[in-house]
């Protein structure tokens, strides 16, 4: 594209890229390149990373178990109020994470929630609570991606499979699910990336307790509060790298197959 | 074999209206109709993909109206073929045998047999169906549909996406396949060649209603309505009224436009009754053909040539005739003139419309 419009686009793309790059440069220039690396392998930083990976992976996988059937059903069924239901399911992706956390805490103040806390599993200020909060944010994004993926798989393929003797479950398992495999994988990666970066919902239900509920974002918050900038920057850079890797992985998974 | 009774289905402003159709065992019934007539919707209702509002579908005497698609015994090839893109050629064909739980050897034997019938044995190792040509995809889709020996094969415009030469190759392959596999076939098409080639009977669907069902030659010879006549490529559809007895024993004289036309009388045609007339362009005699039928002066007209269009087998002439309203074309097909003298716009041409070649129908409610 040439002419003034092309030049304008180039200028605006450059501005967008430099805004994002400045996020990294600002952090590195404040602490220097060596300092974050120096603290990267210290015990409490590694613990935060470990906790983040465990909670985010568990939450993203559990969310996927629910997001696949839900997204599939939403892509196939027509019923009154479907848009409203879709809106309800993706609310955690668009609402304030802090508000989500408040909602989660109050869930465990209901009779049923209290009973679960007393007799099944403790969530508030505990590891299951962190996973539960991250489950919500991961599920919302996963169900969006999975639904869009199944919408792209023609229902006619399933109809043909059924005319060849498959039950609806077999048509799903043998045709739609294999065709949606890459989209489901992309949903898992994006859900995981969203879960590992969550602060608001996780901190609200599980609290920001050093050494106990200290995920990477919570650790950044705690280190900022105690002016341990090297640690905060190291963890922040780690999260940036993880996000970038997740994005590149999604691109790789969703690239068109050469025919 | 298949008995469709009073099938009714409404989708928005469109409705399939009380469709009834029977298909005998081993028979091939072809449903023809213009775009938007509801052909695909009818197939989907028969298959059970969409639920009908009323009516029943019976297969071998069993009511399958509320049965799921997989229990109806139909094998379906949609217009876009719907080959499974994650499977190779072998995987696509063998897919249909999976629910039968055959041994690997038996599956392989059946796949190879059907592939040989359709001339695609050399494609069985292909891992990508996306890279096949249109004709190859078509053969794979047919192989997948018949490998499990279904009771009924349902085809939705199966050859529509192919170029002319590939389509004719596939016609031969499908005809041979029908000799080997005696499945009952229900096919939708808007291609008249396919209807004539494959149909034991054809059904004409118009605006969601079945207008006519019969043997293809009968339907082509005597379309039930003006709409069916136009659909079946009757170029000239004229309106008129009965004036009384004609010169021949079975002929009646009719006023058509500003002229009189003699036609074979429909049963109990009354004086003044409103009728429609269909005249195929190739049935109108012109030039040297007239001398052979000399002695019968009725239905001869002198016409002005308004336009000349080339056809593969000659010319199509648009004539100004008193039979049609001003500006309405009357089309006549003409072979290549023997003396090489091509008719030109403005020339006068003598034509004759043989009475026995005129399709006559009543106008309902007139």
């Amino acid at each position: 594209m040439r002419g003034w419009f092309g030049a304008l686009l180039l200028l605006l793309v450059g501005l967008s890229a430099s805004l994002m790059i400045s996020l990294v440069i600002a952090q590195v220039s404040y602490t220097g390149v060596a300092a974050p690396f120096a603290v990267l392998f210290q015990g409490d930083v590694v613990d935060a990373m470990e906790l983040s990976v465990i909670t985010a992976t568990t939450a993203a996988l559990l969310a996927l178990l629910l997001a696949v059937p839900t997204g599939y059903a939403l892509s196939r069924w027509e019923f009154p109020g479907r848009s409203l239901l879709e809106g309800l399911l993706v609310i955690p992706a668009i609402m304030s994470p802090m508000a989500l956390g408040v909602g989660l805490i109050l869930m465990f103040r209901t009779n049923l929630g209290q009973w679960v806390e007393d007799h099944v599993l403790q969530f508030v200020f505990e590891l299951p609570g962190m996973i539960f909060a991250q489950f919500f944010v991961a599920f919302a994004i996963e169900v969006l991606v999975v639904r869009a993926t199944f919408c792209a798989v023609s229902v006619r393929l399933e109809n043909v499979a059924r005319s060849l003797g498959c039950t609806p479950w077999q048509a799903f398992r043998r045709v739609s699910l294999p065709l949606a495999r890459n989209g489901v994988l992309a949903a898992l990666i994006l859900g995981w990336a969203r879960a590992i970066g969550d602060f608001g919902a996780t901190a609200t239900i599980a609290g920001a307790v050093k050494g106990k509920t200290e995920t990477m974002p919570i650790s950044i918050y705690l280190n900022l509060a105690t002016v341990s900038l090297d640690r905060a920057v190291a963890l922040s850079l780690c999260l940036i790298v993880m996000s970038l890797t997740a994005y590149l992985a999604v691109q790789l998974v969703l690239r068109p197959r050469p025919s | 074999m298949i008995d469709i009774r009073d099938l009714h289905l409404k989708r928005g402003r469109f409705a399939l209206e009380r469709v009834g159709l029977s298909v005998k065992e081993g028979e091939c019934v072809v449903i023809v109709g213009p775009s938007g007539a509801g052909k695909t919707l009818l197939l989907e209702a028969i298959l059970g993909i969409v639920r009908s509002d009323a009516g029943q579908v019976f297969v071998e005497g069993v009511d399958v109206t509320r049965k799921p698609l997989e229990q109806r015994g139909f094998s379906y090839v949609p217009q876009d073929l719907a080959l499974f893109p994650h499977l190779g050629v072998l995987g696509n064909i063998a897919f249909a045998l999976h629910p039968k739980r055959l041994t690997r050897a038996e599956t392989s034997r059946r796949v190879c047999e059907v592939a040989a019938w359709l001339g695609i044995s050399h494609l069985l190792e292909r891992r990508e169906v996306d890279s096949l040509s249109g004709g190859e995809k078509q053969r794979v889709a047919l192989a997948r549909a018949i490998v499990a020996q279904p009771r009924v094969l349902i085809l939705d415009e199966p050859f529509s996406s192919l170029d002319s030469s590939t389509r004719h190759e596939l016609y031969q392959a499908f005809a041979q396949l029908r000799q080997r596999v005696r499945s009952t076939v229900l096919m939708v098409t808007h291609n008249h060649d396919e209807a004539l080639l494959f149909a034991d009977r054809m059904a004409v669907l118009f605006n969601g209603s079945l207008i006519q069902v019969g043997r293809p030659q009968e339907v082509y010879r005597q379309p039930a309505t003006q709409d069916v006549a136009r659909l079946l490529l009757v170029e000239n559809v004229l309106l008129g009224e009965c004036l009384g007895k004609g010169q021949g024993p079975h002929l009646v004289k009719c006023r058509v436009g500003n002229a009189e036309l003699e036609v074979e009388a429909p049963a109990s045609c009354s004086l003044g009754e409103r009728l429609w007339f269909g005249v195929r362009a190739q049935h109108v005699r012109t030039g040297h053909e007239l001398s052979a039928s000399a002695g019968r002066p009725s239905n001869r007209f002198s016409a002005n040539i308004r336009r000349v269009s080339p056809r593969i087998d000659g010319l199509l002439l648009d004539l100004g005739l008193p039979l049609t309203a001003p500006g309405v074309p009357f089309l006549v097909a003409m072979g290549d003139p023997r003396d090489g003298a091509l008719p030109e716009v403005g020339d006068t041409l003598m034509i004759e419309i043989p009475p026995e070649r005129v399709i006559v129908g009543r106008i309902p409610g007139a």
Side-chain angles (χ1 to χ4, degrees):
Chain A
M1 198 180 295
R2 291 180 184 179
W4 68 267
F5 185 57
L8 180 66
L9 286 183
L10 193 64
L11 184 73
L12 294 174
V13 169
L15 182 66
S16 310
S18 52
L19 278 173
M20 298 305 135
I21 291 166
S22 63
L23 271 179
V24 180
I25 292 175
Q27 293 183 51
V28 175
S29 64
Y30 192 84
T31 58
V33 178
F37 281 102
V39 297
L40 198 56
F41 299 105
Q42 289 185 359
D44 52 344
V45 175
V46 171
D47 287 347
M49 285 184 193
E50 210 174 270
L51 184 62
S52 279
V53 168
I54 288 168
T55 55
T57 307
T58 311
L61 284 171
L62 288 175
L64 195 70
L65 287 178
L66 208 55
V68 169
T70 308
Y72 175 71
L74 289 174
S75 75
R76 292 295 184 259
W77 292 348
E78 294 279 346
F79 55 90
R82 193 181 72 169
S83 297
L84 185 65
L85 176 63
E86 282 174 5
L88 282 172
L89 293 175
V90 302
I91 273 181
I94 46 183
M95 77 188 292
S96 156
M98 204 69 89
L100 174 65
V102 171
L104 292 174
I105 282 199
L106 294 180
M107 261 176 79
F108 291 103
R109 290 290 168 265
T110 61
N111 288 341
L112 179 64
Q114 200 64 62
W115 184 86
V116 170
E117 283 263 284
D118 294 343
H119 298 95
V120 183
L121 201 60
Q122 284 212 314
F123 283 84
V124 180
F125 299 118
E126 296 294 337
L127 182 77
M130 301 167 72
I131 293 172
F132 196 53
Q134 290 176 18
F135 167 89
F136 269 84
V137 292
F139 172 79
I141 202 158
E142 284 178 10
V143 82
L144 272 177
V145 176
V146 168
R147 180 189 159 280
T149 302
F150 280 117
C151 279
V153 176
S154 169
V155 72
R156 203 166 284 149
L157 294 168
E158 289 175 18
N159 289 336
V160 168
R162 290 184 61 194
S163 85
L164 297 171
C166 288
T167 61
W169 158 247
Q170 288 169 333
F172 169 75
R173 187 176 59 79
R174 298 187 59 207
V175 177
S176 299
L177 193 57
L179 287 170
R181 188 189 60 190
N182 288 357
V184 170
L185 193 54
L188 179 65
I189 295 168
L190 287 171
W192 182 84
R194 180 72 183 80
I196 206 164
D198 180 68
F199 170 75
T202 312
T204 310
I205 192 169
V209 184
K210 191 157 181 66
K212 185 183 180 189
T213 63
E214 192 180 350
T215 59
M216 289 164 77
I218 291 173
S219 183
I220 290 171
Y221 169 76
L222 292 173
N223 281 306
L224 278 175
T226 55
V227 203
S228 304
L229 281 178
D230 290 352
R231 279 186 163 75
V233 169
L235 288 163
S236 169
L237 288 175
C238 254
L239 280 175
I240 289 172
V241 169
M242 282 177 173
S243 303
L244 190 63
T245 308
Y247 173 77
L248 292 175
V250 169
Q251 289 290 310
L252 194 70
V253 163
L254 294 183
R255 76 188 189 286
R257 289 185 311 170
S259 62
Chain B
M1 178 71 188
I2 309 175
D3 197 7
I4 299 150
R5 295 182 195 167
D6 288 335
L7 207 62
H8 184 81
L9 172 61
K10 197 162 169 33
R11 282 288 177 276
R13 294 171 67 181
F14 181 82
L16 284 175
E17 300 274 8
R18 305 276 164 213
V19 175
L21 181 67
S22 289
V23 185
K24 298 186 198 93
E25 184 148 14
E27 191 180 30
C28 177
V29 170
V30 176
I31 301 170
V32 296
S35 297
K39 302 186 294 291
T40 298
L41 188 62
L42 174 59
L43 283 195
E44 289 181 347
I46 296 167
L47 282 159
I49 293 170
V50 293
R51 181 166 279 203
S52 55
D53 301 328
Q56 291 164 298
V57 179
F58 289 84
V59 179
E60 291 177 334
V62 177
D63 186 354
V64 298
T65 316
R66 297 290 167 230
K67 280 194 174 180
L69 173 51
E70 61 273 18
Q71 289 176 20
R72 295 192 176 203
F74 300 149
S75 188
Y76 170 49
V77 179
Q79 195 171 353
D80 63 0
L81 306 178
L83 292 179
F84 305 128
H86 60 300
L87 300 175
V89 172
L90 183 69
N92 264 277
I93 301 173
F95 188 97
L97 296 172
H98 186 266
K100 292 190 176 294
R101 301 184 184 284
L102 301 175
T103 62
R104 185 170 287 200
E106 179 60 9
T107 300
S108 176
R109 189 193 67 75
R110 286 215 203 169
V111 169
C112 290
E113 182 181 48
V114 171
W117 290 349
L118 283 157
I120 50 170
S121 300
H122 62 291
L123 298 176
L124 286 177
E125 297 305 314
R126 290 276 278 273
R127 299 174 69 86
E128 295 271 348
V129 287
D130 285 345
S131 61
L132 299 175
S133 71
E136 288 170 342
K137 283 181 183 170
Q138 194 76 44
R139 286 168 196 261
V140 173
L142 281 173
R144 183 183 64 181
I146 59 150
V147 72
Q149 298 165 349
R151 288 184 294 181
V152 182
L153 191 57
I154 293 189
L155 310 170
D156 187 1
E157 308 233 15
F159 310 108
S160 62
S161 61
L162 303 174
D163 63 73
S164 177
S165 64
T166 311
R167 199 183 309 143
H168 282 90
E169 282 175 23
L170 257 297
Y171 288 168
Q172 285 190 339
F174 184 64
Q176 287 169 0
L177 196 65
R178 281 213 66 216
Q179 288 175 347
R180 289 193 166 102
V181 182
R182 296 306 301 168
S183 293
T184 304
V185 178
L186 190 59
M187 183 197 289
V188 152
T189 184
H190 58 248
N191 185 308
H192 300 272
D193 290 340
E194 287 166 22
L196 280 170
L197 205 57
F198 300 123
D200 296 312
R201 283 186 305 140
M202 64 187 281
V204 184
L205 191 70
F206 233 95
N207 289 333
S209 297
L210 268 189
I211 303 290
Q212 190 172 9
V213 181
R215 293 169 64 81
Q217 293 81 359
E218 289 167 7
V219 175
Y220 273 85
R221 199 177 305 127
Q222 187 57 57
T225 66
Q226 298 170 62
D227 288 333
V228 176
R230 289 194 185 93
L231 178 74
L232 300 180
L233 305 179
V234 175
E235 292 89 344
N236 306 295
V237 177
L238 314 165
L239 301 178
E241 63 180 33
C242 180
L243 292 178
K245 201 169 166 7
Q247 291 179 9
H250 303 294
L251 300 182
V252 289
K253 193 181 287 181
C254 299
R255 170 156 300 283
V256 181
N258 293 323
E260 288 182 0
L261 190 68
E262 281 200 330
V263 299
E264 287 192 341
S268 65
C269 171
S270 57
L271 193 70
E273 186 175 357
R274 296 279 296 158
L275 302 168
W276 64 269
F277 308 91
V279 181
R280 290 189 185 275
Q282 73 265 29
H283 290 160
V284 180
R285 293 180 180 145
T286 60
H288 64 276
E289 295 171 329
L290 292 185
S291 58
S293 62
R296 193 166 61 188
S298 61
N299 290 358
R300 281 199 179 177
F301 302 94
S302 174
N304 208 27
I305 299 176
R306 294 193 296 205
R307 200 171 62 204
V308 180
S309 313
R311 293 199 336 175
I312 289 174
D313 55 351
L315 301 168
L316 190 66
L317 310 178
D318 172 5
L319 306 179
L321 273 181
L323 294 169
T324 60
V328 176
F330 187 91
L331 300 174
V332 172
M334 192 178 177
D336 284 324
R338 290 175 187 171
D339 57 6
L342 291 171
E344 291 183 4
V345 174
D347 288 353
T348 301
L349 184 72
M350 187 62 81
I351 65 156
E352 183 184 308
I353 305 170
E356 69 277 10
R357 292 292 205 172
V358 180
I359 303 160
V360 186
R362 291 193 168 81
I363 298 175

